[in-house]
Amino acid sequence: MGEYGVTPGQRVAIIWDSSSPVEALKELVDKIQALVGADNRVSVENVNQLSQSAHKESSFDVIFSGMVPGSTAQHSVEVLAEIARILKPGGCVLLKELVVTESGNNSRIKTAAKLLTALTLSGLVEVKELQKEALTPEEAQSVQEHLGYQGNDLLIVQIEGKKPNFEVGSSSHLKLSFAKKPGASGKPSVDPATAKLWTLSASDMNDEEMDLLDSDELLDSEDLKKPDPSSLRAPSCKEMGKKKACKNCTCGLAEELEQEKKSSQPKSACGNCYLGDAFRCASCPYLGMPAFKPGEKILLKENQLHDA
């Protein structure tokens, strides 16, 4: 295994950000290119353009991100997911990121623990922290320029992770056998001692030491009395305080309400119905009937029962 964990013939991607010094980036690319050999191109991608680079799944053996000296790259969930997608099964990720020692109000910079969790959730395994180091004065200045953050709680952490030896989202058939074993029956086995405990033979009926209960003794005189039919009747809708009959009513409340409706006097819309036809509306149910006293009960035919 060569320097940076790279061996000849491998495909490598280097991810950089705008804070990466150009000379430092070029120097890292040259080192990696020398390790993999001239026949294997090293891909260089900007962290903000990684998802638009259109790399195929499982394209790289090793991916370096934030490894350029002076870089202050921050890896979003989308970037980590894309790194896991383009990494080959069994491939390795070497990553550096700026972290805070304690979680504060700055949601843009993660703690080391949250970074490890984010890498694991992206689909990587064997994620581990390799080292932590304090910022150099140049790096602290770069953080202030590119992230607008100034504080003494910053560190640079280096983390390694691997992709499982299978593609993300892949599936495999499980070999399950539902065939019965030779000699096995479909019935569950019963413990002989348990079966004997619950078995009553004819000889047990004549055994004087066998204590058997008389089924007639389980009922007393109250149990043998015929119940009163009224106690078995379900309460009617009216007895239960209902003002409206149930659907498929059988207690008589529906008929009672229907009779009340037929015998009830319709409500007058104008209040002048009792004065006679000269004062009645065109739709008045009392048309053609003589005048009557207010409040007097008037019986109408069923076809006349509608609102005035």
Side-chain angles (χ1 to χ4, degrees):
M1 180 80 64
E3 190 179 0
Y4 297 106
V6 177
T7 57
Q10 289 185 323
R11 290 204 64 193
V12 179
I14 298 177
I15 301 173
W16 62 282
D17 71 311
S18 57
S19 66
S20 305
V22 177
E23 290 299 323
L25 173 61
K26 187 177 181 302
E27 184 179 348
L28 178 62
V29 172
D30 291 340
K31 283 183 180 180
I32 300 300
Q33 187 68 70
L35 291 171
V36 299
D39 296 334
N40 297 277
R41 185 173 64 89
V42 175
S43 296
V44 181
E45 299 289 350
N46 184 278
V47 67
N48 297 319
Q49 302 297 323
L50 183 61
S51 58
Q52 283 79 40
S53 59
H55 288 295
K56 295 180 179 179
E57 292 182 356
S58 305
S59 297
F60 300 100
D61 299 287
V62 182
I63 296 178
F64 297 103
S65 186
M67 293 295 294
V68 181
S71 172
T72 59
Q74 295 292 298
H75 299 85
S76 65
V77 173
E78 293 77 16
V79 169
L80 295 177
E82 182 65 12
I83 289 174
R85 187 187 71 84
I86 63 177
L87 189 64
K88 290 182 179 180
C92 179
V93 174
L94 202 60
L95 176 145
K96 272 189 178 182
E97 185 169 324
L98 190 74
V99 297
V100 290
T101 54
E102 293 183 5
S103 180
N105 296 327
N106 194 319
S107 59
R108 191 176 175 187
I109 303 178
K110 299 182 282 290
T111 62
K114 288 185 177 179
L115 180 57
L116 290 168
T117 301
L119 284 162
T120 302
L121 293 176
S122 69
L124 301 179
V125 296
E126 299 181 31
V127 179
K128 57 184 177 181
E129 181 182 309
L130 298 180
Q131 64 179 30
K132 282 181 181 176
E133 54 188 27
L135 275 68
T136 63
E138 293 78 10
E139 289 171 335
Q141 181 66 28
S142 178
V143 170
Q144 187 174 354
E145 290 177 359
H146 293 91
L147 300 180
Y149 186 87
Q150 187 175 7
N152 299 322
D153 58 343
L154 297 176
L155 293 172
I156 292 180
V157 63
Q158 182 172 325
I159 296 175
E160 181 185 61
K162 293 182 179 180
K163 187 172 181 177
N165 289 318
F166 53 84
E167 192 54 72
V168 175
S170 60
S171 60
S172 177
H173 291 289
L174 296 177
K175 296 181 179 179
L176 300 176
S177 177
F178 296 97
K180 293 182 179 180
K181 295 181 180 180
S185 62
K187 296 181 179 180
S189 59
V190 179
D191 183 11
T194 303
K196 184 178 180 181
L197 179 65
W198 292 97
T199 302
L200 187 65
S201 65
S203 58
D204 292 329
M205 302 294 290
N206 300 322
D207 191 351
E208 295 180 356
E209 296 181 359
M210 180 66 66
D211 188 13
L212 298 177
L213 290 176
D214 186 354
S215 58
D216 293 334
E217 294 179 358
L218 299 176
L219 300 175
D220 55 25
S221 57
E222 291 295 326
D223 295 324
L224 299 176
K225 287 183 179 180
K226 187 177 180 179
D228 183 3
S230 61
S231 65
L232 302 177
R233 183 179 62 85
S236 65
C237 300
K238 202 168 186 179
E239 290 173 341
M240 295 180 67
K242 292 184 178 181
K243 296 182 180 180
K244 188 176 180 181
C246 303
K247 186 179 180 182
N248 302 325
C249 178
T250 58
C251 68
L253 180 60
E255 291 81 358
E256 185 179 338
L257 293 176
E258 184 66 23
Q259 188 63 32
E260 289 179 2
K261 182 179 178 182
K262 289 181 179 180
S263 60
S264 63
Q265 185 172 349
K267 185 179 180 182
S268 173
C270 62
N272 298 325
C273 300
Y274 71 95
L275 295 174
D277 284 350
F279 300 91
R280 292 168 181 160
C281 307
S283 59
C284 183
Y286 298 104
L287 279 175
M289 298 182 67
F292 55 87
K293 295 180 182 180
E296 183 180 355
K297 188 173 182 180
I298 306 298
L299 297 178
L300 300 176
K301 295 181 180 180
E302 188 174 351
N303 58 3
Q304 290 178 301
L305 291 176
H306 55 78
D307 291 337

